[in-house]
Amino acid sequence: MEDDQPKNTETKKISSYRDILKGTSYFGGVQILNIIVTLIRGKFVAVILGPEGMGINSLFNSASNTIQRLSSLGANQSALREIAATDNLTEKNLIINSSLKLFRITSLLGLLICVAFCVPLSRLTFGNSDMWWQFMILGAAVFFGIYSAGELSVLQALHEVKKISRASIVGSLSGLIIGVPLYYIFGFIAIVPAILAITLALFIFYSYNLHKCGIKSISLFSWKFNKEIIRKILLLGIVLMAGDLITTLFGYIINLFVRIYGSMDEVGLYQAANSVTNQYAGIIFSALAMDYFPRLSKVADNNSLMTMAVNRQSEVVAWLITPAMTLLILTTPLLIRVLLAESFHQISPLMRWMGLGMMLRAFSFPMAYITFAKGNKKVFFMLEGVTANVMTLTLSCVGFYFFGLIGLGYALVADNAFCIILYYFVNHRLYGYKFSSGAAYNYVAGALLVCICFFAAFIPNPWISYIVMSLSSLIAIIWSVINLKAKIKDIKAS
């Protein structure tokens, strides 16, 4: 349903759908394996450590992510854009070498922050200084985390699908094989060493796969000679870092808010719901993000091509997220029993609200990348870094304060509904972006099916509830398969 597009773009359209579906299917298959491994690890963590342990794990991860965002200066994301946007091999190689040297410095910065501020970080996070030595160990995890994120961005920009996939599988398996025995033997004390083990494994395998790409090191590299490239990466990177830092910092504050006005158990319950929901939806988000942004960066300078790329991605998003979220809502009690433990049964309503919120997040997903791909630093920062994050923090804190855990689900739905309107309005005004008839139709159809399933979950009669949820899930799957098969058929015919 791309009737609003010029006929002479039909060949390009078919090719673009081929790229979208090929990249999504490959990354999606690997992501499914990663998520299965992660969920198995989460099950062990839930059983061994319980809600309190998951809460402590969440706080350490939030602190680590915040420090990584601050120290990285956004260099990995801005480097990805610069590498993907150029086709000149010499220039591309120069940007890669500049970026890798920059990653070494930002990694050391993260390590130094953890070591220098280990006592204040412990007091801020846990209310005492007992965990200072854990934060010193966390510094090593931050070092490897920053550098491996930089290496991942280079592989992503080079579209090294297989190498990224293999390395990510190794990272997931490391968390399971190394982390779980540590939790079992040492309990809470093993949380930070397990985080370190995962980041170290990713660092090793990303480095190995990057070396296999045959990137030539510039032996006479000069910071002075390459200052323009470094300046360009850092200018955009610092803006991205500021936006990312606010996102991570606000997530950290939400966890602290729940701990202060609730309990450590409630932090664990919230993160358990968040983890399962994000892992479930992550099959789609991770697969799309890896493939989508490099392609969007190549056409970002042409508003017409950019609009077509975003709308095609929007259609694929609707076909994939709709059955995923109806199944999440339908199987929530089963997922809790299988992936967590009986003590987590109370998060069932929260997870269903999060499923509805994730659908809305998926709908805003393709539009959220536009200002980033355009390199519009000011608009990206105000839109993604400030406005969206302030709304998330405000709604989450207000929701939890007045409604408890379920209020965080209300907040997620309201927040993502707001983001759809915000992203559309800004991108329409600045770049002339508008939904194609195909994107609009698929969004409405997908939202209708998910909403029917969601409201059916709260029908008092369990038989009627599960019949309606099952039917809406079945219809969503059939609708998605029909659309994907039709598109694949068109691709093969070409």
Side-chain angles (χ1 to χ4, degrees):
M1 288 195 177
E2 304 240 2
D3 52 350
D4 54 344
Q5 295 173 6
K7 290 183 179 180
N8 61 3
T9 63
E10 189 65 25
T11 302
K12 185 178 286 291
K13 181 182 80 170
I14 298 295
S15 176
S16 178
Y17 275 117
R18 183 194 299 116
D19 292 341
I20 293 171
L21 293 174
K22 181 181 177 182
T24 302
S25 62
Y26 198 97
F27 279 119
V30 172
Q31 193 65 19
I32 289 172
L33 178 59
N34 285 340
I35 286 170
I36 290 171
V37 172
T38 303
L39 291 175
I40 292 171
R41 181 167 62 91
K43 172 70 173 179
F44 281 109
V45 173
V47 172
I48 297 170
L49 302 181
E52 184 183 1
M54 290 198 77
I56 294 172
N57 183 65
S58 171
L59 288 171
F60 271 122
N61 274 302
S62 295
S64 173
N65 290 336
T66 302
I67 296 166
Q68 284 188 48
R69 295 294 190 278
L70 173 64
S71 308
S72 70
L73 303 178
N76 58 318
Q77 292 173 296
S78 57
L80 191 160
R81 180 187 178 277
E82 295 302 319
I83 296 165
T86 181
D87 292 322
N88 185 293
L89 293 178
T90 302
E91 185 179 353
K92 189 185 290 284
N93 193 54
L94 188 59
I95 296 171
I96 291 171
N97 274 272
S98 302
S99 301
L100 291 173
K101 286 176 171 58
L102 196 56
F103 298 152
R104 293 172 191 169
I105 294 175
T106 55
S107 299
L108 284 170
L109 178 61
L111 172 62
L112 290 173
I113 288 174
C114 280
V115 172
F117 297 98
C118 59
V119 174
L121 284 168
S122 178
R123 287 174 180 162
L124 175 64
T125 307
F126 296 101
N128 57 62
S129 58
D130 296 346
M131 299 288 193
W132 66 270
W133 63 276
Q134 294 270 41
F135 276 97
M136 292 193 74
I137 298 173
L138 193 68
V142 168
F143 176 89
F144 293 120
I146 293 172
Y147 202 90
S148 61
E151 292 173 319
L152 170 61
S153 67
V154 175
L155 290 170
Q156 188 179 346
L158 296 174
H159 212 67
E160 293 287 349
V161 178
K162 293 183 179 180
K163 290 182 173 63
I164 295 172
S165 302
R166 289 168 187 160
S168 62
I169 290 171
V170 168
S172 297
L173 288 173
S174 299
L176 178 64
I177 296 169
I178 300 172
V180 171
L182 287 174
Y183 296 140
Y184 183 77
I185 297 169
F186 300 105
F188 295 168
I189 297 175
I191 288 173
V192 173
I195 295 172
L196 173 58
I198 295 170
T199 57
L200 178 59
L202 285 172
F203 167 76
I204 292 170
F205 279 87
Y206 281 139
S207 298
Y208 172 73
N209 283 286
L210 198 58
H211 177 73
K212 288 184 69 177
C213 289
I215 295 168
K216 296 179 181 178
S217 178
I218 299 175
S219 56
L220 298 177
F221 180 89
S222 165
W223 287 99
K224 184 177 180 180
F225 178 74
N226 297 290
K227 66 180 180 180
E228 193 56 40
I229 294 173
I230 297 165
R231 178 178 172 275
K232 194 173 182 181
I233 291 172
L234 285 178
L235 279 177
L236 178 59
I238 289 171
V239 174
L240 296 175
M241 177 272 293
D244 263 357
L245 179 61
I246 292 172
T247 301
T248 310
L249 180 61
F250 281 12
Y252 186 32
I253 293 171
I254 291 169
N255 278 331
L256 292 177
F257 188 89
V258 173
R259 179 180 69 81
I260 293 167
Y261 288 93
S263 66
M264 187 64 79
D265 279 1
E266 285 182 303
V267 176
L269 291 169
Y270 169 52
Q271 289 306 317
N274 229 342
S275 175
V276 174
T277 307
N278 281 319
Q279 291 292 343
Y280 204 97
I283 298 172
I284 297 166
F285 284 115
S286 297
L288 293 174
M290 285 290 179
D291 178 65
Y292 173 52
F293 179 66
R295 286 189 293 101
L296 185 63
S297 296
K298 289 183 179 294
V299 297
D301 292 335
N302 186 312
N303 285 343
S304 177
L305 292 178
M306 178 271 295
T307 296
M308 285 190 283
V310 175
N311 280 324
R312 291 169 191 152
Q313 194 74 38
S314 299
E315 291 184 50
V316 175
V317 165
W319 298 333
L320 295 177
I321 200 66
T322 300
M325 290 305 99
T326 54
L327 287 171
L328 171 66
I329 293 168
L330 170 65
T331 61
T332 288
L334 177 63
L335 289 172
I336 292 171
R337 282 197 297 272
V338 172
L339 302 176
L340 298 170
E342 193 61 34
S343 55
F344 292 85
H345 70 90
Q346 59 189 292
I347 64 173
S348 182
L350 173 60
M351 280 182 58
R352 282 171 165 155
W353 275 95
M354 286 183 163
L356 183 61
M358 282 296 172
M359 174 203 69
L360 296 174
R361 178 174 294 177
F363 289 174
S364 67
F365 171 91
M367 293 184 289
Y369 277 86
I370 294 176
T371 53
F372 183 16
K374 287 278 188 182
N376 195 329
K377 297 184 285 293
K378 291 182 180 178
V379 174
F380 176 82
F381 178 72
M382 291 306 299
L383 181 66
E384 190 79 11
V386 178
T387 308
N389 281 309
V390 168
M391 183 61 64
T392 300
L393 179 64
T394 303
L395 289 172
S396 296
C397 292
V398 170
F400 180 76
Y401 187 83
F402 286 102
F403 302 104
L405 279 176
I406 194 69
L408 295 167
Y410 302 159
L412 185 66
V413 172
D415 181 32
N416 287 306
F418 168 76
C419 282
I420 292 175
I421 298 169
L422 176 67
Y423 292 150
Y424 185 82
F425 175 78
V426 171
N427 288 308
H428 178 69
R429 288 291 299 271
L430 292 180
Y431 313 118
Y433 171 76
K434 63 178 182 177
F435 290 130
S436 66
S437 57
Y441 163 77
N442 284 290
Y443 274 179
V444 171
L448 182 62
L449 287 167
V450 174
C451 285
I452 290 171
C453 187
F454 171 77
F455 287 115
F458 297 95
I459 295 174
N461 187 311
W463 285 101
I464 296 175
S465 175
Y466 276 98
I467 287 171
V468 176
M469 283 193 291
S470 299
L471 284 174
S472 59
S473 297
L474 180 61
I475 293 169
I477 293 168
I478 293 171
W479 174 74
S480 176
V481 169
I482 288 173
N483 280 288
L484 287 169
K485 283 185 71 175
K487 196 58 61 180
I488 292 169
K489 185 178 178 181
D490 287 343
I491 291 170
K492 288 181 177 178
S494 67

